[in-house]
Amino acid sequence: MVREQIRVFTRTLQWKCVESRTDSKCLYYGRFILSPLMKGQADTIGIAMRRALLGEIEGTCITRAKSEKIPHEYSTILGIQESVHEILMNLKEIVFRSNLYGTCEASIFVRGPRCVTAQDIILPPYVEIVDNTQHIASLTEPIDLCIGLQLERNRGYRIKKPNNFQDGSYPIDALFMPVRNVNHSIHSYVNGNEKQEILFLEIWTNGSLTPKEALYEASRNLIDLLIPFIHAEEENVHLENNQPKVSLPLFPFHNILDEIRKNKKKIALKLIFIDQLELPPRIYNCLKKSNIHTLLDLLNCSQEDLIKTEHFRIEDVKQIFGILEKHFVIDLKNKR
């Protein structure tokens, strides 16, 4: 059972890749878990990550093709087995991997008879094709096929506009999304007296990046979208010892600790929640029941106040102080 395979000892969230495979050059699969989560959190994270994976990751594709010998999109060319429309659809399916910003030019110059594949596309050095065998056209006669291509890096899906045809240049529906599909599921279990959840994420990509890379990109992009809300709540905080005002660094919690040690800066204590302190579950639950939600709430309590908390022990107080001294280098003194 899943519960037996995943042991949860603390509140620290942990993720793991439990399955990874390559079905083809243009289809990668990965399955990931995140745990332990409180009731309801798995669905919140799963929905947000699915939308970020599908809509917030950039990809590169062909957005326009140009050839002077093509009268219109639905025409046929003597010596080419496919119609112009079929060639444009084949170009749409080609998957690229790149560090491109904006747009760039590429081209095809071949002479038949022969089969034209993605390998025949002449590309700038910072763009590469994931599968060179992808079919474009079949030339049945000794004719020249010359096509100019426009590549673009963007996100989402863009449908060509009917009035966007000009000078033998034809727009192509752009599917920028490198993530083809995402599923999320939730496994609930009981840990002691508390109900917890495990989030499972399944990710399929087109081969331009791995599911693990897609998970990282989506997470970073989701954080970037939420940064304005963090700034909106930022306030400079006066500590009791008149230490300087500072704001909370926008990094994961373990990186925050590294920044504190490196720069010897104080933090906005009311913006750090006790969920991030890696407290044992029992101590965490006791603090939450006493309406202690942030690091500032905790430091405003005296030892006597903490000991008065239901089911709290003096050993628990010492353990909290040890965690704070270790991570924040805070000189904790008894408040009288």
Side-chain angles (χ1 to χ4, degrees):
M1 293 179 63
V2 174
R3 184 179 175 185
E4 295 174 350
Q5 296 174 357
I6 304 170
R7 298 181 179 181
V8 178
F9 295 101
T10 69
R11 275 287 173 193
T12 304
L13 292 180
Q14 296 181 346
W15 74 276
K16 182 180 179 181
C17 179
V18 294
E19 184 178 357
S20 178
R21 68 173 186 262
T22 301
D23 294 331
S24 68
K25 290 183 179 180
C26 295
L27 185 60
Y28 288 18
Y29 171 80
R31 190 165 185 250
F32 306 88
I33 60 171
L34 179 67
S35 67
L37 296 165
M38 298 176 65
K39 182 179 180 181
Q41 289 181 338
D43 202 36
T44 300
I45 298 173
I47 293 173
M49 286 303 301
R50 184 178 188 276
R51 295 184 66 89
L53 283 161
L54 292 174
E56 299 300 329
I57 302 179
E58 292 186 344
T60 303
C61 63
I62 299 173
T63 57
R64 185 174 290 275
K66 181 177 181 179
S67 177
E68 297 177 355
K69 297 182 179 180
I70 300 177
H72 58 80
E73 181 183 1
Y74 297 98
S75 63
T76 58
I77 301 176
L78 184 64
I80 301 181
Q81 182 174 317
E82 293 83 2
S83 68
V84 174
H85 178 73
E86 289 174 328
I87 294 175
L88 295 178
M89 292 301 98
N90 290 336
L91 290 172
K92 174 184 174 180
E93 297 299 321
I94 298 176
V95 179
F96 298 90
R97 183 186 297 113
S98 78
N99 295 320
L100 172 67
Y101 291 95
T103 62
C104 72
E105 302 298 324
S107 58
I108 300 174
F109 296 101
V110 295
R111 182 171 179 80
R114 58 167 296 180
C115 181
V116 183
T117 65
Q119 187 175 3
D120 297 307
I121 301 177
I122 302 173
L123 294 167
Y126 46 83
V127 180
E128 62 178 293
I129 297 172
V130 172
D131 184 5
N132 286 326
T133 65
Q134 288 183 274
H135 181 75
I136 297 177
S138 297
L139 306 185
T140 58
E141 302 290 340
I143 63 171
D144 294 326
L145 178 64
C146 302
I147 304 177
L149 304 173
Q150 176 182 281
L151 276 64
E152 181 178 343
R153 183 175 176 85
N154 212 319
R155 64 183 183 85
Y157 184 79
R158 186 169 66 210
I159 300 176
K160 63 185 178 183
K161 298 179 181 179
N163 59 350
N164 202 13
F165 298 86
Q166 53 189 5
D167 302 328
S169 176
Y170 300 91
I172 300 175
D173 290 340
L175 182 62
F176 297 107
M177 303 183 302
V179 176
R180 292 301 187 226
N181 192 23
V182 180
N183 287 335
H184 83 275
S185 58
I186 301 169
H187 171 75
S188 300
Y189 63 99
V190 177
N191 185 16
N193 295 326
E194 185 177 4
K195 188 174 182 180
Q196 295 183 340
E197 297 177 340
I198 301 173
L199 172 65
F200 290 85
L201 273 175
E202 293 181 287
I203 304 172
W204 289 262
T205 69
N206 65 0
S208 62
L209 76 174
T210 66
K212 183 178 178 181
E213 291 170 337
L215 190 62
Y216 173 81
E217 289 294 331
S219 301
R220 294 301 307 169
N221 292 339
L222 191 59
I223 291 172
D224 290 342
L225 290 174
L226 298 176
I227 281 178
F229 295 106
I230 299 178
H231 282 311
E233 293 296 327
E234 278 185 351
E235 293 180 5
N236 292 329
V237 178
H238 280 290
L239 300 180
E240 291 184 1
N241 56 359
N242 295 322
Q243 293 170 345
K245 301 177 181 180
V246 293
S247 57
L248 177 64
L250 301 175
F251 298 99
F253 190 68
H254 63 277
N255 289 339
I256 291 177
L257 300 182
D258 292 337
E259 287 297 313
I260 293 172
R261 297 189 186 102
K262 183 188 302 181
N263 300 324
K264 297 181 179 180
K265 293 181 178 179
K266 298 302 178 179
I267 59 175
L269 300 180
K270 73 174 184 178
L271 297 179
I272 293 291
F273 293 86
I274 63 171
D275 309 61
Q276 301 169 299
L277 299 182
E278 303 180 14
L279 296 168
R282 191 180 62 80
I283 296 179
Y284 171 86
N285 292 332
C286 289
L287 294 177
K288 296 292 281 189
K289 289 178 181 179
S290 300
N291 292 321
I292 298 174
H293 305 289
T294 68
L295 185 57
L296 185 62
D297 294 336
L298 181 57
L299 293 180
N300 282 335
C301 292
S302 65
Q303 294 187 37
E304 291 77 10
D305 294 330
L306 290 175
I307 294 175
K308 291 178 182 178
T309 303
E310 186 177 4
H311 305 304
F312 223 75
R313 303 171 301 186
I314 185 63
E315 290 80 10
D316 299 331
V317 177
K318 294 179 180 179
Q319 189 170 358
I320 291 175
F321 283 6
I323 291 174
L324 296 179
E325 287 177 334
K326 175 183 177 182
H327 291 312
F328 297 96
V329 198
I330 295 175
D331 184 16
L332 297 171
K333 298 179 180 180
N334 295 347
K335 297 182 180 182
R336 300 297 180 183

